[in-house]
Amino acid sequence: MLTPQLLSQISPFELRARQIVEGFLTGLHKSPYYGFSVEFAEHRPYNRGDEIRHIDWKVFGKSERYFIKQYEEETNLRCHVVLDVSSSMLFRYHGQWTKLGYGAHLAASLFYMMHKQRDACGLVTFDQDLGEMLPAKASASHLRFLLTRLEEFTKREPSAGLNRRTASAEVLHEIAERLHRRSLVIIISDLFENMEGHEQLLNALKHLRHRKHEVVLFHMLEKRSERDLDFPDGRYLFQDLETGDEMDLTPSEIRSAYKEEIDKYAYSFKMACSEAHIDYEEVDTGASFDLALLAYLNKRKRLG
């Protein structure tokens, strides 16, 4: 597995994205998911009723499987990655990267895959306000521009006095109104808002669906610390990176009750997303990128 520690030694940033994707695809082809093709931007499996003249016989010679050559207008998709750059995304305890650093690498990998599929890709950033809204384009120069922008986020660290909150709901409502063409919208966020505010977040996600956009939500978290409260015994002073509020507690005393409540809440939120036809995937910043990339690949395959 390409670990964050190993990837951190690789430069430039564009090469890291390529290594993540190629490592993922190599593993995919050795797995039960072998049916996926790296070249699905150019080919699709032959279906009964397809004209034989469109079969790519060169591919058949290599794979002994029938594939139809697709034309560019059949494969284009507009994709927008919406990246949370709020202060809470700068958290890390066990991990090599902050949640923002991991999210930026995930976004870069997705852009690299999109480019291979000839999809147009764009980037939107937000915290308590809507930040950059870079348009979706399919050119190689635009890909390099997006990767350059993402690399800047990998270098951010928490700063005293820089408390930028997460305002997912308000921002997603605004994005829904500003994206006029049907798109695949991929949201990368730790959803660090008051639990009472998650009903508003669901309404904003439904707003995107109402506008005919397909939605994939990647929920970023460092599982060992944020979900499992895996800290050595002792008392800790925890600080909210977005508000500066502090809390003094002993994790071992609340771990069991905390995990029970957070698991229950996470399950109910995931079910609510499923009912709204929103793809939801938890992404552990201590794990590989495989599950997130597979979730995207499955979504992309369903969209044709």
Side-chain angles (χ1 to χ4, degrees):
M1 185 180 74
L2 285 172
T3 63
Q5 289 85 350
L6 179 59
L7 286 165
S8 294
Q9 300 172 24
I10 299 174
S11 59
F13 185 68
E14 182 176 353
L15 181 57
R16 291 188 200 172
R18 193 176 81 185
Q19 290 291 332
I20 291 169
V21 172
E22 291 182 352
F24 162 69
L25 292 173
T26 298
L28 196 64
H29 288 174
K30 295 177 181 178
S31 75
Y33 298 99
Y34 180 72
F36 285 112
S37 169
V38 185
E39 304 301 332
F40 56 83
E42 298 179 355
H43 299 87
R44 64 172 173 79
Y46 172 82
N47 295 315
R48 183 172 300 200
D50 287 331
E51 294 188 42
I52 295 177
R53 65 190 177 92
H54 292 312
I55 293 176
D56 191 322
W57 294 106
K58 289 183 180 179
V59 172
F60 174 78
K62 295 178 182 178
S63 65
E64 295 187 358
R65 298 169 66 190
Y66 295 108
F67 285 91
I68 296 295
K69 181 74 174 179
Q70 282 188 279
Y71 298 98
E72 192 163 336
E73 60 269 20
E74 293 182 80
T75 63
N76 284 151
L77 185 70
R78 300 180 67 82
C79 304
H80 297 269
V81 172
V82 180
L83 180 63
D84 179 356
V85 297
S86 63
S87 295
S88 62
M89 289 286 284
L90 296 174
F91 172 77
R92 71 179 175 93
Y93 185 81
H94 295 287
Q96 174 75 18
W97 293 330
T98 64
K99 288 184 285 188
L100 179 56
Y102 191 101
H105 281 84
L106 174 57
S109 304
L110 291 169
F111 285 147
Y112 187 80
M113 293 182 76
M114 291 170 190
H115 182 69
K116 286 180 70 68
Q117 296 165 271
R118 301 196 186 100
D119 292 335
C121 45
L123 175 66
V124 182
T125 62
F126 76 95
D127 42 41
Q128 60 198 40
D129 300 303
L130 181 63
E132 293 179 292
M133 198 163 182
L134 305 175
K137 299 179 183 179
S139 67
S141 59
H142 188 62
L143 172 65
R144 287 192 295 271
F145 174 66
L146 293 177
L147 295 181
T148 298
R149 189 69 190 99
L150 286 171
E151 185 173 16
E152 295 174 15
F153 293 121
T154 68
K155 301 171 184 175
R156 280 194 183 180
E157 293 291 340
S159 301
L162 183 61
N163 304 118
R164 301 294 293 178
R165 303 191 184 196
T166 306
S168 308
E170 295 89 336
V171 168
L172 292 177
H173 277 301
E174 186 173 353
I175 291 171
E177 290 298 324
R178 293 181 62 171
L179 292 182
H180 301 297
R181 295 180 62 180
R182 186 172 181 268
S183 305
L184 170 61
V185 179
I186 299 174
I187 302 159
I188 300 175
S189 173
D190 63 356
L191 308 179
F192 196 81
E193 299 172 83
N194 291 330
M195 292 175 68
E196 296 80 5
H198 276 198
E199 189 61 39
Q200 286 73 38
L201 173 59
L202 281 168
N203 288 336
L205 293 168
K206 291 175 183 177
H207 188 183
L208 285 165
R209 294 289 295 129
H210 178 72
R211 301 281 293 191
K212 308 301 182 185
H213 301 298
E214 297 291 336
V215 181
V216 177
L217 174 59
F218 288 127
H219 182 186
M220 310 293 297
L221 74 160
E222 189 184 89
K223 186 174 183 294
R224 282 184 64 188
S225 57
E226 295 183 288
R227 179 59 60 82
D228 299 335
L229 280 186
D230 182 5
F231 297 95
D233 290 340
R235 295 189 66 83
Y236 290 82
L237 182 66
F238 291 89
Q239 184 181 60
D240 187 322
L241 288 174
E242 297 195 353
T243 66
D245 294 344
E246 296 180 341
M247 181 179 294
D248 189 333
L249 54 82
T250 303
S252 59
E253 294 178 354
I254 66 168
R255 184 176 293 126
S256 180
Y258 172 84
K259 288 179 67 176
E260 183 178 346
E261 286 298 315
I262 202 72
D263 287 347
K264 185 189 307 181
Y265 178 76
Y267 178 79
S268 65
F269 185 76
K270 184 174 183 177
M271 290 301 99
C273 285
S274 179
E275 290 171 6
H277 304 288
I278 294 158
D279 292 56
Y280 170 90
E281 190 76 38
E282 278 193 359
V283 178
D284 176 13
T285 60
S288 74
F289 296 87
D290 290 7
L291 285 178
L293 295 180
L294 183 59
Y296 160 75
L297 207 56
N298 276 312
K299 182 69 169 182
R300 181 62 177 80
K301 187 181 181 187
R302 292 199 301 273
L303 295 178

